[in-house]
């Protein structure tokens, strides 16, 4: 039951890592542009310069952080697909929890448990929303085709 075609696992990791970097860099760039503009001295020239400085300083760092999260998540997800032999929402939920725990490992076991819980809950909400959206969309198009289309009439054949 695959709703869309995904890359095979080795390429999926690189693809997800690049996508996560792009999201982090763009989102971080927008956020840092606003933050740099607001925190700069008055005057449009100073504010624009402060905005650009904030973007150049922080957006690549945020993109890198997102890339690490996305790459680690995809590696764990691919490992679970290989071990379990199937691709389902439980792989994503488990991958989110394990990624949160691994990234919080330097802060101790309590932080690992908290981050694992948050990662698992976040991915469970995302997967649940995806399932609900898929069910809602599929209910718009009934699968029972009986009576949906009028019977096609046979085309007359010419015979001489």
């Amino acid at each position: 039951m695959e709703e869309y075609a995904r890359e095979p696992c080795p390429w999926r990791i690189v693809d997800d890592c690049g996508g996560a970097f792009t999201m982090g860099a763009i989102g971080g760039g927008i956020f840092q542009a606003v933050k740099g503009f607001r925190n700069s001295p008055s005057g449009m020239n100073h504010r624009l310069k402060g905005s650009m400085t904030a973007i150049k300083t922080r957006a690549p760092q945020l993109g890198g952080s997102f890339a690490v999260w996305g790459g680690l998540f995809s590696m764990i997800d691919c490992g679970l697909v290989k071990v379990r032999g199937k691709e389902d929402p439980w792989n994503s939920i488990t991958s989110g929890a394990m990624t949160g725990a691994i990234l919080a490992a330097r802060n101790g076991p309590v932080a690992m448990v908290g981050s694992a819980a948050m990662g698992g809950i976040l991915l469970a909400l995302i997967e649940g929303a995806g399932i609900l959206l898929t069910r809602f969309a599929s209910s718009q198009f009934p699968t029972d085709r009986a009576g949906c289309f009028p019977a096609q009439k046979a085309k007359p054949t010419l015979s001489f």
Side-chain angles (χ1 to χ4, degrees):
M1 183 181 105
E2 191 154 351
E3 58 266 356
Y4 55 91
R6 291 184 70 180
E7 295 283 330
C9 260
W11 305 113
R12 183 185 308 177
I13 297 167
V14 175
D15 189 41
D16 288 349
C17 192
F21 177 82
T22 304
M23 282 194 313
I26 291 172
I30 293 169
F31 179 78
Q32 291 301 322
V34 172
K35 186 177 174 185
F37 189 84
R38 292 183 70 196
N39 291 337
S40 295
S42 63
M44 188 57 78
N45 200 21
H46 291 294
R47 290 188 185 266
L48 290 176
K49 196 179 288 186
S51 181
M52 290 306 295
T53 302
I55 291 171
K56 289 189 287 186
T57 305
R58 288 288 296 155
Q61 292 173 351
L62 289 167
S65 296
F66 271 67
V68 168
W69 195 95
L72 186 58
F73 175 84
S74 289
M75 287 189 331
I76 295 169
D77 191 37
C78 285
L80 288 172
V81 168
K82 182 73 173 170
V83 169
R84 295 184 67 223
K86 58 182 168 179
E87 198 164 335
D88 60 359
W90 288 110
N91 287 349
S92 294
I93 295 168
T94 306
S95 297
M98 291 176 71
T99 300
I102 290 169
L103 291 177
R106 291 175 34 175
N107 297 327
V110 175
M112 286 178 69
V113 170
S115 292
M118 286 306 296
I121 290 169
L122 178 67
L123 265 295
L125 290 172
I126 291 170
E127 289 293 326
I131 291 169
L132 287 175
L133 188 63
T134 302
R135 285 193 182 169
F136 177 74
S138 67
S139 69
Q140 302 296 320
F141 304 104
T143 56
D144 183 26
R145 300 268 182 195
C148 289
F149 301 105
Q152 292 182 343
K153 296 178 184 175
K155 292 183 181 178
T157 56
L158 297 175
S159 58
F160 293 91

